[in-house]
Amino acid sequence: MNTFSHIVSWLFGILLVALSGFVALETVSRKIFNYSFQGADELGGYVLAVGGALSFSVALIERGHIRIDLLHGRFSPRLQAFLNWVAYVSLAIFGLFLARYCWLVVRDTVEYGSVAPTAWATPMIWPQSVWYGAMLIFTGISVWTAIAATRLLFSGEIDRLNDEYHTKSVMEELKEELDDLKARN
C-alpha cells in the first residue's frame, strides 16, 4: 500500500507542477502576446478533482485523516479500539456514499451528453470517468480497511487494531519527517 501512496503522491505532484507551468505560460502569453491557449482553468479543475480524490486514499493509507484525539489516548485500549473501528467503518460508509452519488453524476453526464462550458468543450465523461475511478479507489481501500479493522475487533486483537488503525501520534509524525529528511541527505 505504501508503494501506491508513494506513486500517487509523486504523480499528483508532477501534475501540479505541470499545471503550474502551463498556467505560467498562459499568463505570460496573455500579457506579452495577447494570446490565450484557453483551458488552463479547465485543466486545473480536472487535476484538482482527480488529485483530491486520490489524496483521500493516500491519507487513509498513511493514517493521515484528522480525528479529534484529545481524549483518545486517555481511554482504555478496548475503548480506543472501538473508536478506531468506528472511524474506519465511518470512512467506508462515506466512501460508499461517494461512490453512489459520484456514479449519479457520471450517469447524468452520459445521459445528457454534457460538455464543459469552455472553449475546449471537453466531453465531461472523460474527466469525470477518471475522477470517478479515483473515488472508487478510495471506496475500495476504505471498505477493505474497515473489513480488516472489523476482523481484528471481533477476533479480540485489540492491541493490533490500535497499533494499525490509530491516528498518528506527534512522535510518529516527527519520526517520519526525520527519516524522510535523513533519506534526502
Side-chain angles (χ1 to χ4, degrees):
M1 282 295 200
N2 285 338
T3 302
F4 169 80
S5 175
H6 189 73
I7 290 169
V8 167
S9 297
W10 268 97
L11 178 63
F12 189 40
I14 289 167
L15 286 174
L16 284 176
V17 169
L19 177 63
S20 298
F22 184 65
V23 168
L25 184 64
E26 166 79 8
T27 303
V28 169
S29 174
R30 275 193 282 159
K31 294 295 181 189
I32 295 175
F33 304 111
N34 200 25
Y35 176 78
S36 174
F37 295 110
Q38 305 287 318
D41 56 340
E42 184 176 352
L43 285 176
Y46 302 152
V47 167
L48 291 176
V50 172
L54 287 173
S55 68
F56 294 164
S57 299
V58 171
L60 182 57
I61 290 166
E62 295 183 358
R63 296 184 354 244
H65 283 285
I66 296 172
R67 288 190 265 167
I68 300 170
D69 60 352
L70 178 67
L71 300 176
H72 189 269
R74 298 176 189 192
F75 294 142
S76 70
R78 214 172 256 310
L79 183 54
Q80 286 180 18
F82 176 75
L83 293 174
N84 291 332
W85 174 77
V86 166
Y88 278 84
V89 168
S90 297
L91 277 173
I93 291 168
F94 178 64
L96 291 167
F97 173 85
L98 285 175
R100 182 186 190 290
Y101 285 98
C102 291
W103 166 249
L104 295 177
V105 170
V106 172
R107 185 192 68 192
D108 287 349
T109 293
V110 170
E111 186 176 319
Y112 298 124
S114 301
V115 296
T118 62
W120 289 1
T122 306
M124 291 305 295
I125 189 59
W126 299 111
Q128 285 183 358
S129 294
V130 177
W131 166 72
Y132 183 58
M135 286 295 188
L136 288 179
I137 290 170
F138 169 69
T139 300
I141 292 171
S142 66
V143 168
W144 180 77
T145 56
I147 290 169
T150 300
R151 186 186 59 75
L152 290 173
L153 180 71
F154 289 107
S155 67
E157 296 182 63
I158 301 302
D159 292 334
R160 185 169 167 208
L161 191 150
N162 284 334
D163 184 50
E164 294 179 14
Y165 294 94
H166 70 87
T167 56
K168 288 183 184 176
S169 68
V170 173
M171 294 309 291
E172 284 178 297
E173 288 184 21
L174 178 62
K175 182 183 179 318
E176 282 182 7
E177 291 298 324
L178 291 173
D179 290 346
D180 186 48
L181 180 64
K182 192 182 296 181
R184 284 185 272 154
N185 289 333

